[in-house]
C-alpha cells in the first residue's frame, strides 16, 4: 500500500536545493584574456566569502594556478557597467605585469606574479 503525501502550503515543501548548494555554484569563470601566451581569468570562490580569484594557465600546460591568494579579490564595482577587473601585459623579462582592482578598496594594484615574495 502506497503512502499519500501530506499536503503542504505553497512554498513550504522540502527541497534538496538549499542556500549552501546554490552558493557553492556561484557563477562561472569570467573575464578570460590572454597575456602573451598565457590564459588568465577570474573564478568565483563562494567558500571564501564570494571572493573572485585570478587564475592563469601557462602555455606549457599543467593545472591552472591561482595567482592572488586570499584576501585579494579581483572584482570591481565597475563590472556592473561592463568594466573588467584586471589587465595584463607580457614583458621580455620578469614575467607578466598584472593590474587588478581589489574589491575591498576599489583601488588598482600592480602585481608581478613571477617576482619573489608575496603579492
Amino acid at each position: 500500500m502506497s503512502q499519500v503525501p501530506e499536503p503542504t502550503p505553497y512554498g513550504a515543501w522540502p527541497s534538496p536545493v538549499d542556500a549552501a548548494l546554490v552558493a557553492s555554484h556561484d557563477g562561472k569563470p569570467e573575464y578570460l584574456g590572454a597575456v602573451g601566451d598565457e590564459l588568465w581569468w577570474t573564478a568565483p570562490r563562494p567558500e571564501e566569502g564570494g571572493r573572485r580569484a585570478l587564475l592563469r594557465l601557462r602555455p606549457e600546460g599543467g593545472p591552472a594556478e591561482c595567482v592572488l591568494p586570499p584576501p585579494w579579490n579581483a572584482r570591481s564595482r565597475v563590472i556592473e557597467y561592463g568594466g573588467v577587473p584586471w589587465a595584463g601585459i607580457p614583458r621580455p623579462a620578469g614575467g607578466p605585469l598584472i593590474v587588478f582592482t581589489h574589491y575591498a578598496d576599489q583601488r588598482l594594484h600592480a602585481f608581478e606574479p613571477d617576482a619573489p615574495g608575496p603579492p
Side-chain angles (χ1 to χ4, degrees), residues 74-89:
R75 186 172 157 212
S76 168
R77 291 190 178 125
V78 176
I79 290 171
E80 299 162 1
Y81 302 99
V84 177
W86 72 272
I89 58 167

Side-chain angles (χ1 to χ4, degrees), residues 10-60:
Y10 178 78
W13 58 87
S15 173
V17 179
D18 61 7
L21 179 63
V22 172
S24 72
H25 291 64
D26 175 27
K28 60 191 179 306
E30 292 183 313
Y31 306 109
L32 176 68
V35 179
D37 293 336
E38 299 179 345
L39 293 177
W40 288 68
W41 67 95
T42 65
R45 296 288 191 258
E47 68 280 2
E48 297 175 16
R51 179 176 91 87
R52 301 255 351 149
L54 185 60
L55 289 91
R56 102 201 254 194
L57 185 62
R58 296 176 188 257
E60 57 271 10

Side-chain angles (χ1 to χ4, degrees), residues 56 91 94-96 111-119:
R56 102 201 254 194
R91 299 183 298 174
F111 174 51
E112 297 175 290
D114 298 334

